[in-house]
Amino acid sequence: MRETPTDAGHATPAESTRAVRAGSIRRWLAVCMTACALGGSAVDALAAPASAPRTAAGAAQAPPRLPFYIARKANNRTVYILGTMHAAKPADYPPNQPFRPEILDALKRATLLAFELSPDDLVVSQNDVTRYGVCDTPCLPKQLPDALWKRLQWRLRDNPEALAEIQKMRPWLAALLIETYDSLAAGLQTEYGTEAQLENVYAKYPIVGLETLNDQMRAFTNLRNAEQWEMLAQDLAQTPQQNAADTRQLHALWREGDADKLAAWSAARSLRLAQTPELSNALDEKILYRRNRRFARRIADLSLPDKPIFVAVGVLHLGGPRGVLAKLRENGFSIEPG
């Protein structure tokens, strides 16, 4: 895989591989898949058409607000919750102060840091993505309706190496490849994913996961064929330029720090891109809402009296009536902006 240089004060090349933990499960696996299931030349071909100028490190005068909340419950239980992105820009984390003081203070107070996946699970995740998402021979053309396969061929017509690789993927993994393309086209960089930056600041242990790798993989391996087709069709519904523009808008909203506003934007986009509403709703339930409930239960279990914890999850998991924050309220927590 092509390495992207890092800047002083941010993630090192070794640390940058941990950035895949951020963002929604689809975005997380998109980055992991690109790193693990594709050869280096295919990734280069994938990224080549849409390289964006980089933002100089430290360009931002102050760190962005970001979606940051404090959940409290009886017996002095406190949970600090930060919404993350799997890829961002150097200017999102100024070298001298990568996060605003409230977030840095919460990290100092925390007795535990929780990501979507634990570091141990992340180590073995590459093998599982390949095991469950990649075929030994070209299987994708046989697993897609002919019209959908032709649309995918047209999308990757200028990237023959990427097209050759994607033919060996299951439909759900092929959809993630397209999402990776659009994230790169938006000018974001995976080494500036929020989790990698948090690990640079948080020097304590333990770091745990809110779910297991098997939990994450089942979200995709249990999808019905029609649901996988819907997933890919949504990624092909817009032009690459339109998808990249959506990613840039998501990034801007993330910087503003309003989880409910982000959830409303995401719901509207999902409605706009849905090819078959019933299948689109099933995807949201299996990939997003079911995991939100799991996250909230795990957070409640980890929360102990007088032992504050810090939780970092993909930003699209937080807001809205079915988000993690709402589920924590149902569990008796009060929620306030951090």
Side-chain angles (χ1 to χ4, degrees):
M1 183 178 69
R2 182 176 59 186
E3 292 290 339
T4 304
T6 58
D7 297 287
H10 296 286
T12 66
E15 291 165 337
S16 69
T17 60
R18 297 178 293 192
V20 295
R21 278 193 289 274
S24 69
I25 182 171
R26 292 180 64 172
R27 294 180 180 277
W28 172 83
L29 277 174
V31 178
C32 184
M33 171 275 301
T34 305
C36 311
L38 290 180
S41 60
V43 176
D44 288 344
L46 183 64
S51 59
R54 296 180 188 173
T55 304
Q61 297 302 309
R65 179 172 179 79
L66 304 186
F68 178 60
Y69 297 85
I70 303 176
R72 292 187 173 92
K73 195 175 181 180
N75 299 322
N76 201 27
R77 300 186 183 201
T78 302
V79 182
Y80 304 109
I81 306 171
L82 179 66
T84 67
M85 284 193 68
H86 82 288
K89 298 182 178 182
D92 295 324
Y93 312 99
N96 296 328
Q97 186 178 313
F99 298 98
R100 56 190 174 95
E102 294 84 354
I103 297 174
L104 293 174
D105 183 62
L107 284 168
K108 292 178 182 178
R109 294 172 180 269
T111 61
L112 175 149
L113 176 61
F115 293 151
E116 293 179 26
L117 275 185
S118 72
D120 289 341
D121 266 351
L122 185 67
V123 169
V124 299
S125 65
Q126 302 178 356
N127 292 334
D128 276 17
V129 171
T130 302
R131 182 182 304 117
Y132 295 112
V134 179
C135 307
D136 293 330
T137 59
C139 57
L140 187 61
K142 301 176 182 179
Q143 295 182 358
L144 294 180
D146 186 60
L148 186 56
W149 168 244
K150 289 180 178 178
R151 288 170 62 189
L152 181 58
Q153 284 182 302
W154 177 255
R155 171 63 66 89
L156 296 178
R157 62 191 182 279
D158 295 325
N159 292 310
E161 289 176 308
L163 182 60
E165 292 290 343
I166 206 172
Q167 292 186 60
K168 298 179 182 179
M169 296 180 183
R170 307 289 182 188
W172 62 267
L173 192 55
L176 300 182
L177 176 61
I178 299 302
E179 292 194 15
T180 301
Y181 175 95
D182 296 333
S183 292
L184 294 172
L188 305 184
Q189 301 172 43
T190 57
E191 65 264 38
Y192 293 102
T194 315
E195 273 77 356
Q197 307 305 316
L198 288 171
E199 288 192 75
N200 287 345
V201 176
Y202 187 83
K204 298 178 288 184
Y205 290 95
I207 301 176
V208 303
L210 296 178
E211 65 182 351
T212 68
L213 179 59
N214 286 337
D215 291 332
Q216 286 201 346
M217 292 306 303
R218 279 197 297 268
F220 291 95
T221 58
N222 288 345
L223 291 175
R224 295 182 292 125
N225 287 340
E227 292 166 348
Q228 296 185 54
W229 300 342
E230 172 71 16
M231 183 176 168
L232 180 58
Q234 288 184 19
D235 289 330
L236 298 175
Q238 298 186 135
T239 66
Q241 294 77 16
Q242 290 172 321
N243 284 343
D246 282 350
T247 300
R248 286 189 288 269
Q249 186 175 7
L250 170 63
H251 175 256
L253 291 171
W254 170 72
R255 285 178 57 91
E256 290 180 13
D258 187 329
D260 286 330
K261 187 175 181 180
L262 277 156
W265 174 87
S266 179
R269 183 178 189 271
S270 181
L271 184 63
R272 184 177 79 247
L273 297 183
Q275 307 299 294
T276 304
E278 294 80 5
L279 293 175
S280 182
N281 291 338
L283 278 174
D284 287 342
E285 167 60 26
K286 293 181 178 180
I287 296 176
L288 185 64
Y289 301 133
R290 186 175 296 173
R291 295 180 68 235
N292 291 349
R293 297 190 293 271
R294 182 186 303 135
F295 289 165
R297 290 193 300 268
R298 174 69 165 154
I299 291 170
D301 290 342
L302 290 171
S303 175
L304 297 174
D306 301 312
K307 292 186 178 181
I309 65 173
F310 194 107
V311 173
V313 296
V315 67
L316 295 181
H317 288 288
L318 290 188
R322 302 174 71 180
V324 169
L325 299 179
K327 296 304 170 184
L328 287 175
R329 289 190 184 97
E330 293 176 5
N331 193 277
F333 284 86
S334 63
I335 308 292
E336 61 183 35

